[in-house]
Amino acid sequence: MTHQTVGHRHTTRPGLPDDPRAAVTEPTPSCPVEITLAALRGRWTTLVIRELLQGDRTFTELRQALPVLSDKVLSDRLAHLTEAGVVDRRREPGWPSRTHYRLTPQGRRLGPVLQALWDWGATTAL
Amino acid sequence: MTHQTVGHRHTTRPGLPDDPRAAVTEPTPSCPVEITLAALRGRWTTLVIRELLQGDRTFTELRQALPVLSDKVLSDRLAHLTEAGVVDRRREPGWPSRTHYRLTPQGRRLGPVLQALWDWGATTAL
DNA sequence: CTGAATCCCTGCCGATACTG
DNA sequence: CAGTATCGGCAGGGATTCAG
């Protein structure tokens, strides 16, 4: 089985949770959905996360995995993801200097999110 | 129960499905994740979907539910969502002209996706 | 009532060049 | 090796105005 649909329980509930934050009438950074979309925002972001879902990676390894991505944007993405609490950066002392990146526990929990995005998009493409 | 975590099955698999489309090294429109993100792209989009998850809505009803959203952007979002196969538009003949919008079956399946986005963002805010 | 046309402003992203 | 600095092009989105 390649990609079975993940077992969501969405049969009954039509909308979103009856959380006060679900009542907003305009986009606000405190809305959980906005928080997640903000973390995923930007071209290349999901691909960087996909790489890190497979384990620890250095800057160069990421650059090799995504050859078209420029240094600047990769650096931007990693800084953004680090600030969002998705990625953890570990400088290696000495020379040549290396920096390892890996997902935080919170970042690893983006796996199911990407899976949900994948599942929906996979059915649309038919 | 306000919002229990949806039952994802993500314990074992570290990455994404072993689908050939998961091997891309740059953002491509054919990637299912990109497809979904493209459908959700744009400010206000998720809020419009949230409204429609609660049922059929007219243009004016949507405008009232999201007062800060301008006509132009609402129109843009609805056109975009319609083209993405998320929304179905029904013109009402006669006067005053009204247009009803509702989610397609595919659009309704975005519920779990938004739920996944919500769940992740809700844990980050702590 | 619904939505298209126009204008402007802002922020993203890519390329290039440069530092610790 | 791992970034930052700077610049330019382009698309997104808000306000306003006009049309079917």
Side-chain angles (χ1 to χ4, degrees):
Chain A
M1 64 190 102
T2 48
H3 64 284
Q4 61 179 358
T5 308
V6 187
H8 300 288
R9 194 190 332 279
H10 63 286
T11 45
T12 59
R13 179 167 46 207
L16 286 173
D18 45 337
D19 186 294
R21 287 170 295 184
V24 294
T25 65
E26 53 184 312
T28 155
S30 64
C31 170
V33 172
E34 292 294 326
I35 290 173
T36 309
L37 289 178
L40 299 178
R41 182 106 48 210
R43 208 152 116 89
W44 297 96
T45 303
T46 56
L47 290 178
V48 172
I49 295 172
R50 183 197 65 186
E51 287 306 311
L52 292 175
L53 275 171
Q54 313 197 33
D56 186 306
R57 291 289 187 278
T58 68
F59 193 88
T60 303
E61 285 170 343
L62 289 172
R63 201 166 44 182
Q64 287 170 346
L66 308 169
V68 186
L69 174 56
S70 74
D71 287 8
K72 182 235 186 187
V73 176
L74 176 55
S75 182
D76 285 353
R77 291 297 169 271
L78 290 170
H80 176 236
L81 288 172
T82 300
E83 190 171 4
V86 171
V87 160
D88 175 52
R89 107 189 306 175
R90 259 178 19 212
R91 286 183 208 285
E92 206 177 75
W95 189 267
S97 93
R98 277 185 188 220
T99 310
H100 288 260
Y101 293 91
R102 63 174 171 187
L103 295 179
T104 63
Q106 179 70 357
R108 250 171 268 126
R109 292 181 51 251
L110 278 174
V113 176
L114 293 183
Q115 183 69 50
L117 295 173
W118 176 284
D119 289 341
W120 192 87
T123 66
T124 311
L126 303 181
Chain B
M1 65 187 110
T2 48
H3 65 283
Q4 59 178 358
T5 308
V6 189
H8 301 288
R9 191 189 335 277
H10 64 284
T11 45
T12 59
R13 179 166 48 207
L16 286 172
D18 45 336
D19 186 296
R21 286 172 295 184
V24 294
T25 65
E26 52 183 313
T28 155
S30 65
C31 169
V33 172
E34 292 293 326
I35 290 173
T36 310
L37 288 178
L40 299 179
R41 181 110 44 212
R43 211 153 113 87
W44 297 98
T45 303
T46 56
L47 290 178
V48 171
I49 295 173
R50 183 197 64 186
E51 288 305 311
L52 293 174
L53 276 171
Q54 313 198 32
D56 188 305
R57 291 287 186 279
T58 68
F59 194 88
T60 304
E61 286 170 341
L62 288 172
R63 201 167 42 182
Q64 289 170 346
L66 307 169
V68 185
L69 175 55
S70 76
D71 287 8
K72 181 241 188 183
V73 176
L74 176 55
S75 182
D76 285 352
R77 291 298 169 271
L78 290 169
H80 176 236
L81 289 171
T82 301
E83 190 172 3
V86 170
V87 159
D88 175 51
R89 106 190 306 175
R90 260 177 18 211
R91 282 183 210 286
E92 207 177 75
W95 187 268
S97 96
R98 281 187 185 216
T99 310
H100 289 259
Y101 292 91
R102 65 176 170 185
L103 295 178
T104 63
Q106 179 72 356
R108 248 171 270 126
R109 293 181 50 252
L110 278 174
V113 176
L114 293 183
Q115 183 69 50
L117 295 174
W118 176 283
D119 289 341
W120 192 87
T123 66
T124 310
L126 304 182

